[in-house]
Amino acid sequence: MSGVSFLEKLLDGEAVEWKELGDVIRLEKGRQLNKELLCENGPYPAYNGGVTHSGFTDTFNYSENKTIISQGGASAGFVNFVTSKFYANAHCYVVLPNTEAVENRYVYHLLKLNQVRLAGKQHGAGIPALRPSEILEIPIPIPCPDNPKKSLEIQAEIVRILDSFTELTAELTAELTARKKQYNYYRDKLLSFEEGEVEWKALGDLAENLDSMRRPIISGLREPGDIPYYGASGIVDYVKDYIFDCDLLLVSEDGANLLARNTPIAFSISGKSWVNNHAHVLKFKTSVERKYVEYYLNSIDLTPYISGAAQPKLNKKSLESIRIPNPPPEDKKRIVDILDKFDALTGSISDGLPREIELRQKQYEHYRNLLLNFPKPEAAGE
């Protein structure tokens, strides 16, 4: 699809008028909600802005299908669309379009296009905030301004196309979430043992620690090559030389991910590699032992072993003290075989669906940029 030719076909020679968003919407700020009124399972989500809701409540102040914009905090400028009745809290702007002039979702997609711009307009030295004027002054293209019916039809067609991408992304995201929950359920079930059911050993008794062989290289001194250079959460570069040439388990030594767990903190590597001082290096007698410990470390809460709140760290002594259930080798193999197969059946959680979601998001952004790229006033007069 060519964005320009598609827009020309939609417009069919009609003009485009650029207005300020404030000409076609009202902007309201949410109302403070006492924390005591938040609960875990209320009927209505409460939004303070940001990517997700901040809890649930028994009351709502806005009906479904509303665009909201985070007004304050680190997420100021983030644009979201809420499909259910909800409570808009004090740090949340609610967008109320004049539906005789603009389609509701048309405004949403335009604001999503301007999300980075809004995030850059935050003010205040303490808690960043976003002024209403920064939103209301955003330019919005109104096709066929003298023919409201046709204008809304054109907007609706653009919305239909863009929504097809967002709906697919939402479906893929929901599928990924369901698969992760299912995978985590079976992993936790297979790796749960009662005291006395199996022997427990310290991780230091099961693995050889090779941390003393690590050597960090600052980026400016790395000689480019095809050998992976590993840090706390995976490959950070490729270099010419290597330290290790075997199968190893790397475990994050420091970084926010030790607490956030957005990516696995334990991951296996094979072949030639270079590892810096942000990942512990463990060598096991067998591949089954290595994979078993990898699965186990990624399934448990490591908070008791981590020091430092601002800069979390899992030091060597704490790592080696982690207690690992040590069933017989045949049971370890059975557990690893099941989890390996389950990981494959769930579509390669680390590579498959997330990559597909990323591609669909980029596709949506590409067509959003094209379909909202109406001729500007100065271009129209040339």
Side-chain angles (χ1 to χ4, degrees):
M1 180 199 300
S2 167
V4 175
S5 61
F6 183 77
L7 286 178
E8 289 176 346
K9 184 177 178 181
L10 273 180
L11 287 171
D12 193 24
E14 296 285 348
V16 174
E17 181 181 4
W18 286 80
K19 295 185 175 184
E20 288 190 346
L21 194 55
D23 294 332
V24 292
I25 72 162
R26 285 191 299 112
L27 199 63
E28 292 185 355
K29 189 177 179 182
R31 298 189 298 276
Q32 186 63 43
L33 179 69
N34 293 332
K35 291 183 179 180
E36 292 76 15
L37 297 178
L38 287 173
C39 55
E40 292 185 3
N41 299 304
Y44 308 112
Y47 282 89
N48 229 5
V51 180
T52 60
H53 56 75
S54 54
F56 293 90
T57 181
D58 291 327
T59 185
F60 67 92
N61 54 5
Y62 288 96
S63 60
E64 54 275 290
N65 299 324
K66 296 288 188 296
T67 299
I68 61 173
I69 304 171
S70 180
Q71 179 269 338
S75 64
F78 183 82
V79 179
N80 205 349
F81 193 82
V82 185
T83 58
S84 64
K85 294 177 180 177
F86 67 101
Y87 193 96
N89 220 324
H91 292 292
C92 185
Y93 289 126
V94 181
V95 178
L96 302 173
N98 173 5
T99 54
E100 293 183 358
V102 285
E103 282 278 342
N104 187 20
R105 289 280 294 181
Y106 182 74
V107 172
Y108 163 74
H109 289 299
L110 180 87
L111 284 166
K112 204 68 179 172
L113 178 65
N114 284 273
Q115 182 172 275
V116 174
R117 168 185 169 177
L118 289 173
K121 297 290 186 179
Q122 300 173 10
H123 67 90
I127 299 176
L130 187 67
R131 297 185 182 95
S133 60
E134 301 293 355
I135 301 168
L136 297 174
E137 292 172 359
I138 291 175
I140 179 171
I142 307 295
C144 307
D146 297 328
N147 187 341
K149 182 175 181 295
K150 185 172 183 180
S151 179
L152 290 173
E153 289 173 352
I154 292 173
Q155 294 175 45
E157 179 60 13
I158 292 172
V159 167
R160 183 191 67 79
I161 295 169
L162 295 179
D163 278 354
S164 67
F165 292 117
T166 58
E167 287 166 6
L168 178 58
T169 301
E171 290 172 5
L172 290 170
T173 303
E175 176 67 15
L176 176 62
T177 301
R179 289 187 185 189
K180 282 183 175 179
K181 285 183 178 179
Q182 191 177 28
Y183 170 79
N184 289 340
Y185 170 79
Y186 284 107
R187 182 193 63 188
D188 295 347
K189 190 175 180 66
L190 286 167
L191 294 173
S192 295
F193 300 94
E194 299 292 336
E195 285 286 349
E197 184 180 356
V198 295
E199 176 191 28
W200 290 71
K201 282 192 172 184
L203 179 55
D205 295 331
L206 296 174
E208 179 186 1
N209 189 295
L210 304 181
D211 284 3
S212 61
M213 298 175 64
R214 303 175 302 180
R215 295 206 306 275
I217 316 174
I218 62 174
S219 58
L221 297 180
R222 293 175 203 155
E223 192 172 356
D226 57 2
I227 306 297
Y229 179 90
Y230 288 94
S233 298
I235 298 173
V236 295
D237 204 349
Y238 288 88
V239 295
K240 189 174 182 180
D241 206 352
Y242 63 93
I243 301 174
F244 306 105
D245 188 6
C246 56
D247 295 338
L248 299 166
L249 181 67
L250 303 188
V251 182
S252 304
E253 179 170 347
D254 49 32
N257 191 56
L258 279 173
L259 298 176
R261 305 293 284 269
N262 293 320
T263 59
I265 60 101
F267 51 98
S268 291
I269 65 172
S270 299
K272 294 174 180 170
S273 63
W274 193 295
V275 183
N276 67 20
N277 59 343
H278 294 291
H280 294 292
V281 183
L282 301 179
K283 187 175 182 180
F284 294 83
K285 293 179 179 178
T286 68
S287 61
V288 167
E289 188 91 357
R290 172 174 49 82
K291 287 295 292 182
Y292 172 80
V293 172
E294 176 184 353
Y295 281 125
Y296 186 75
L297 290 178
N298 286 325
S299 74
I300 62 172
D301 178 17
L302 292 174
T303 305
Y305 302 95
I306 296 171
S307 60
Q311 296 180 337
K313 185 177 180 66
L314 175 63
N315 62 40
K316 181 175 179 287
K317 182 178 179 181
S318 295
L319 173 72
E320 294 182 343
S321 72
I322 296 173
R323 297 177 70 245
I324 308 289
N326 191 42
E330 59 272 20
D331 287 348
K332 289 182 182 176
K333 184 178 186 308
R334 177 183 60 83
I335 291 170
V336 168
D337 286 346
I338 292 173
L339 291 177
D340 281 348
K341 290 176 182 177
F342 197 89
D343 191 32
L345 286 172
T346 52
S348 183
I349 283 176
S350 60
D351 298 317
L353 279 175
R355 176 62 177 159
E356 183 71 12
I357 291 169
E358 181 184 359
L359 290 174
R360 292 293 169 257
Q361 180 63 26
K362 287 181 178 179
Q363 196 174 26
Y364 160 72
E365 291 171 0
H366 171 74
Y367 283 109
R368 183 186 64 196
N369 293 344
L370 286 177
L371 294 174
L372 295 176
N373 187 28
F374 288 94
K376 293 289 195 300
E378 57 271 20
E382 293 177 355

